[in-house]
């Protein structure tokens, strides 16, 4: 039985990875907070967030606030706890929610803060072609990913990783990092390191338009980085794929041979996937 009580905020598969690490270590939260169920796919099937599904499997109470006001309604419950954990929750929490638990809130972030603050650190790192990234755990404050860090693990990048591959590794490392950190954090033994705000960089949400590439004008490296960083969502597409000019074609997989781009899997609009290599 835990000697501490906490809440978990998170919704997608990446948050489920973190929560799974905690549950496997016998660190079950008192409750989880995730996004509301939403319609998915062409048939608009009402679908629960992955975190909700995992929580219910382990008889953990679930809240799904749709507004900031509904999130704030949880403050009385949070004040009964030692701390909260936030992993890929996707909503900005009011300061009173972040500070509600006795020890505040721990955030998991897949970059070496203060670099790549914001919603898309992994995608941005892949687009930038950096050879190193990280996952950190930090104490949340009123800013965007600006609080002091308490734990971090670096990761080397080869330049060939796809988003889902490296993201799963980073979030799992973050979950295991929480398991190691939480006992020290609760006992007041965790060391807080202030971020150098002058070195902060920020990421953005990517839209469908960001995924468009020009097979004639864009460099092979630029297209390859987009294919690795922006699939499966928002996706990468072109209107001048060789032999299919004028048609919208998604590029799902590719690789480089020297300075040339080789497309491996495409999906023409209205058709299934086509393996080219």
């Amino acid at each position: 039985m835990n000697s501490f009580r906490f809440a978990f905020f998170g919704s997608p598969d990446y948050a489920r990875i973190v929560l799974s690490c905690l549950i496997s270590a016998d660190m079950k939260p008192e409750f989880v907070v995730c996004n509301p169920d939403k319609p998915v796919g062409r048939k608009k099937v009402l679908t629960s967030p992955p975190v909700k599904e995992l929580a219910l499997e382990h008889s953990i109470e679930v809240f799904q606030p749709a507004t900031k006001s509904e999130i704030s309604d949880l403050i009385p419950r949070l004040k009964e706890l030692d701390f909260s954990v936030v992993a890929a929750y996707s909503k900005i929490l009011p300061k009173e929610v972040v500070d509600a638990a006795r020890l505040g809130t721990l955030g998991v972030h897949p970059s070496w803060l203060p670099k790549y603050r914001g919603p898309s650190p992994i995608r941005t790192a892949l687009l930038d072609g950096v050879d190193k990234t990280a996952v950190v755990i930090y104490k949340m404050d009123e800013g965007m990913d600006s609080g002091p860090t308490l734990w971090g693990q670096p990761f080397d990048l080869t330049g060939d990783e796809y988003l889902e591959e490296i993201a799963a590794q980073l979030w799992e490392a973050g979950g295991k990092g929480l398991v190691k950190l939480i006992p020290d954090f609760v006992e007041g033994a965790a060391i807080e390191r202030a971020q150098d705000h002058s070195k902060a960089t920020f990421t953005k949400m990517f839209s469908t338009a960001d995924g468009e590439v020009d097979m004639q004008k864009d460099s092979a490296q630029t297209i390859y980085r987009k294919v690795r960083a922006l699939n499966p969502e928002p996706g990468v597409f072109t209107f001048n794929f060789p032999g299919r000019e004028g048609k919208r074609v998604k590029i799902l997989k590719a690789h480089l041979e020297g300075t040339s781009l080789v497309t491996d899997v495409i999906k023409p609009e209205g058709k299934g996937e086509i393996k080219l290599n």
Side-chain angles (χ1 to χ4, degrees):
M1 182 68 67
N2 293 338
S3 59
F4 48 81
R5 302 171 66 215
F6 71 100
F8 183 90
F9 289 74
S11 293
D13 279 322
Y14 298 142
R16 179 188 175 114
I17 291 171
V18 176
L19 180 59
S20 180
C21 290
L22 293 170
I23 292 173
S24 296
D26 199 23
M27 294 183 177
K28 286 173 60 173
E30 293 292 309
F31 58 86
V32 304
V33 185
C34 60
N35 290 338
D37 296 0
K38 65 178 183 180
V40 173
R42 291 183 178 180
K43 295 185 178 180
K44 303 298 181 183
V45 177
L46 194 63
T47 303
S48 299
V51 160
K52 176 183 177 179
E53 295 176 352
L54 180 61
L56 294 179
E57 288 175 16
H58 293 272
S59 302
I60 300 171
E61 189 176 7
V62 176
F63 292 98
Q64 296 178 272
T67 65
K68 285 186 177 180
S69 176
E70 291 179 357
I71 295 174
S72 294
D73 289 343
L74 295 172
I75 290 176
R77 289 290 304 272
L78 293 169
K79 286 184 174 180
E80 300 172 354
L81 307 180
D82 294 295
F83 61 95
S84 298
V85 171
V86 174
Y89 181 54
S90 78
K91 288 187 173 71
I92 296 176
L93 297 178
K95 186 176 187 300
E96 58 268 25
V97 172
V98 170
D99 295 340
R102 180 174 66 88
L103 296 172
T105 299
L106 295 174
V108 183
H109 189 78
S111 80
W112 200 265
L113 292 173
K115 192 168 186 179
Y116 296 140
R117 292 177 180 175
S120 57
I122 306 174
R123 285 184 173 87
T124 307
L126 294 179
L127 287 172
D128 287 350
V130 298
D131 59 4
K132 293 182 184 298
T133 189
V135 59
V136 303
I137 300 169
Y138 68 105
K139 182 82 173 293
M140 294 182 67
D141 59 15
E142 66 276 12
M144 179 183 289
D145 304 323
S146 58
T149 60
L150 294 94
W151 175 91
Q153 180 177 327
F155 274 76
D156 291 330
L157 297 175
T158 65
D160 292 312
E161 295 90 352
Y162 275 72
L163 172 67
E164 291 188 310
E165 169 195 355
I166 189 62
Q169 294 176 30
L170 287 165
W171 286 108
E172 182 176 13
K176 292 179 178 178
L178 279 170
V179 171
K180 296 176 183 178
L181 174 67
I182 285 174
D184 287 342
F185 176 68
V186 172
E187 293 174 9
I191 298 173
E192 296 186 6
R193 299 174 177 84
Q195 295 186 41
D196 183 346
H197 302 304
S198 68
K199 296 181 178 179
T201 62
F202 297 88
T203 64
K204 67 169 189 174
M205 291 292 292
F206 288 97
S207 67
T208 299
D210 291 311
E212 183 172 2
V213 297
D214 188 319
M215 301 294 287
Q216 296 177 353
K217 296 180 180 179
D218 292 336
S219 70
Q221 184 66 263
T222 295
I223 298 173
Y224 183 49
R225 287 178 180 176
K226 282 195 172 187
V227 169
R228 294 189 297 111
L230 301 182
N231 278 313
E233 295 293 338
V236 177
F237 65 95
T238 184
F239 286 101
N240 60 352
F241 192 86
R244 298 175 184 269
E245 288 80 4
K247 304 291 186 180
R248 192 176 192 272
V249 176
K250 289 185 177 180
I251 305 174
L252 304 180
K253 295 285 183 181
H255 68 276
L256 291 178
E257 290 186 0
T259 58
S260 299
L261 180 78
V262 179
T263 50
D264 298 314
V265 182
I266 62 172
K267 186 180 184 302
E269 189 169 18
K271 298 184 179 180
E273 294 182 9
I274 300 174
K275 292 184 178 180
L276 303 177
N277 293 290

